[in-house]
Amino acid sequence: MGQPAPRALNTIAVAARGKLPAIFPDLFGIDHEARAVLPFSDGRRGRRLVDQHVRNGKPLYCVPPLPMTELSR
């Protein structure tokens, strides 16, 4: 993963891009393999999962609410 994806960097203002290595030094210059946090579904299984969520009106992914200790910071 060495560098952040170019498409992701394009979403950040040019003036702010130069500050990223200082803020996130672990993202720049170190070569390591990223692992998925959530499992990936592809092909037929992924399409079935999406269809099921659409039919049931459910989101594919939901961010859980923060614990009260996190909100008080």
Side-chain angles (χ1 to χ4, degrees):
M1 177 177 136
Q3 295 279 343
R7 291 179 97 183
L9 289 175
N10 287 337
T11 63
I12 301 170
V14 175
R17 288 182 204 167
K19 298 176 183 176
L20 288 176
I23 299 169
F24 302 106
D26 293 344
L27 292 179
F28 296 87
I30 298 174
D31 226 10
H32 65 281
E33 187 173 332
R35 292 178 297 165
V37 175
L38 298 172
F40 289 101
S41 291
D42 58 350
R44 181 184 302 171
R45 193 172 190 184
R47 286 189 297 274
R48 285 180 49 207
L49 178 66
V50 170
D51 289 341
Q52 180 180 358
H53 279 77
V54 169
R55 277 194 313 271
N56 295 327
K58 301 285 184 180
L60 283 173
Y61 177 73
C62 179
V63 177
L66 291 173
M68 290 304 290
T69 56
E70 294 292 322
L71 294 175
S72 61
R73 289 185 186 181

